[in-house]
Amino acid sequence: MASRRLLRWSGVIAALACVAGPVAAIELTASETAGKQIFLEGRSASGSSIAARVGGADTAIPGTVVPCANCHGADGRGRREGGVRPPDITWRRLALPYNQRLENGRERPPYDAASFARAITSGVDSGGNRLDPAMPRFVMAARDVENLTAYLKRLEDDGDPGLLPDTVRVGTLQPATGPLAELGKTVTAILRGTFDAVNAGGGVHGRRVELVVADPGADAAAAEAALRRLMDEDKVFAVIAPLVPALDGRLGELADAARIPVVGPLAQVSGSAGRFVFDPLPGLGEQLGALGEYAATALKLTNPPAAIVHPDEARSGAIAGALAERLARRGWSQVRAYAYVPGAFNAPWVGAAVAGQGAKAVFFIGRDADFGALAAQPELQKDPPWMFAAANQVGPSALQLPAAQAERVFIAYPTLPQDWSPQGAGALRAVRERSGAGDRHPAFQVGAYAAAMVMVEGFKRAGRDASRDKLVAALENMHGFQTGVTPAIGFGPGQRIGAPGAHIVGVDAQKRVFRPTGRYVRLDTVQE
């Protein structure tokens, strides 16, 4: 009888587990939700100020600079940073019903609401001992303290969304209409094909990788709304290879605010600035930087008159400014920038100005047709300067140049076929065949496949009890990872570009083909 009851109860428990779904599905009260915002962001839901006093000088800084989760982690369990190991502040741990001996040897009794409030506002633990000086003392309203305490009591139940017992849900943003629709379809096919192969092999720690696709729309507002739907409605755990040019420059900010990992953003003009965004391959800014290093070291150009020609738009202007700063650190003091109207390069003044400056080096940002129009300016054909551009900005027009010009053109490629291992080439070929992606947009296929491989490896390293913070930590500690189709990928606490460099490729004017120089320039090894 007892064994029958046990079997019956085990069946009920199993059924409840299936119905319950992911741990992240718990509903928080208004107070707990407000406390979660304080915990993750250091901001009060009521709009009242939260300040933090830090160090022996009691310096006051905004609470948003040092929210609890920054040191203790989104799960509250603490993670070592430098020589400091923030303690576990889950309520279960804080309120254990007996005295605890801590790492520094002191003892304290269990916390209750009052002693916890005293700890975070006065820096004194439940036993009256001074807390570590690294622990900020927060100045906040009593209601905010109550809300934070309420959330800590639910913290262990509030798991990250998208992480189910048998599935990890991953989102992506891919255009379904407009000029990028075909490219979005190809990237989606590669991502699905890659995850299908992973799932066919048993998934990751027994979980299938499920891909959720959303259309980012036509502008930044629509793209941001689509990203929020992925997070709030589809409850994705992470975002993979989003193709959202409209959010370039803002993706890192949005990801950090939502504390959602993003791996492999495509069509970025520069590496994303954000703790939660990981770029396996370099953006346009890094590729141009590699070309600048090549010009200074391989071509031995020493402080030549140089021009940066870019579209008259904010993003390209920022890239041009960053490149000018990099060249200045190389001792190039004669660098000028020239802006043009993208798609309408009919201003001969640019070519005349560049030639009039006597430019010996020209760095180009823009579209292939505009590169051809610039190179066709009579002044630049008469006395051809060295010209540099990234591969996704220059195509057939570079192969149509006169020999005198073509031999002075160099292009940066994040990857080349020489990066491919036999296993990697075979795996990507199988994904192409399985997904029907064909050979369209090969560079973006490589980028999407590499991003998927990096994310899967991150899942593996994060473990069965993964969280977003653990995934970020796993990626930060990824070094020398071989995707099979790119240079080795490695990140770090301050490094969010996995392969921060580029292959340098020239032009064979006779055969009308691109010719690798055999040089790969890594920016993280450059002494500046």
Side-chain angles (χ1 to χ4, degrees), residues 103-384:
E103 283 188 2
N104 59 10
R106 64 181 170 84
E107 291 189 3
R108 65 159 180 81
Y111 277 99
D112 57 17
S115 59
F116 177 73
R118 186 170 64 249
I120 64 172
T121 57
S122 301
V124 177
D125 74 6
S126 56
N129 307 297
R130 298 297 302 180
L131 293 174
D132 191 293
M135 170 67 186
R137 280 80 65 199
F138 290 92
V139 181
M140 65 174 79
R143 183 52 185 250
D144 287 332
V145 174
E146 293 171 5
N147 291 340
L148 177 59
T149 305
Y151 178 64
L152 282 183
K153 292 180 178 180
R154 296 294 304 278
L155 176 59
E156 286 191 287
D157 299 325
D158 187 27
D160 288 327
L163 197 65
L164 288 72
D166 59 355
T167 306
V168 56
R169 187 175 295 131
V170 175
T172 190
L173 293 168
Q174 301 298 331
T177 58
L180 296 178
E182 183 191 357
L183 178 54
K185 182 179 179 181
T186 298
V187 171
T188 299
I190 291 295
L191 293 175
R192 287 199 188 283
T194 304
F195 291 144
D196 284 347
V198 171
N199 294 335
V204 183
H205 297 300
R207 290 188 176 101
R208 294 181 62 258
V209 183
E210 176 186 328
L211 183 68
V212 181
V213 184
D215 183 357
D219 55 33
E224 184 172 341
L227 178 61
R228 296 197 180 282
R229 284 195 301 274
L230 279 178
M231 296 185 294
D232 299 338
E233 298 176 18
D234 296 311
K235 306 292 185 184
V236 299
F237 180 74
V239 175
I240 182 74
L243 182 58
V244 278
L247 292 185
D248 188 28
R250 291 207 60 226
L251 188 59
E253 173 190 343
L254 295 171
D256 280 7
R259 301 183 68 84
I260 185 168
V262 178
V263 177
L266 303 175
Q268 294 284 95
V269 298
S270 62
S272 299
R275 176 173 178 261
F276 282 79
V277 180
F278 294 82
D279 293 320
L281 297 174
L284 174 59
E286 292 74 36
Q287 293 175 56
L288 290 171
L291 286 165
E293 293 302 323
Y294 181 80
T297 57
L299 300 180
K300 308 297 184 185
L301 300 184
T302 305
N303 194 23
I308 303 174
V309 180
H310 65 89
D312 189 8
E313 57 187 23
R315 289 183 298 166
S316 298
I319 294 297
L323 176 60
E325 291 179 7
R326 174 177 286 279
L327 294 173
R329 292 195 295 272
R330 267 290 179 189
W332 291 26
S333 60
Q334 306 179 73
V335 180
R336 294 187 60 186
Y338 300 89
Y340 67 90
V341 178
F345 197 98
N346 56 0
W349 71 266
V350 176
V354 169
Q357 181 197 355
K360 300 302 181 185
V362 176
F363 294 84
F364 174 79
I365 302 171
R367 304 192 314 178
D368 181 49
D370 293 331
F371 178 83
L374 173 64
Q377 299 298 313
E379 297 87 352
L380 271 66
Q381 290 189 336
K382 181 179 179 181
D383 183 17

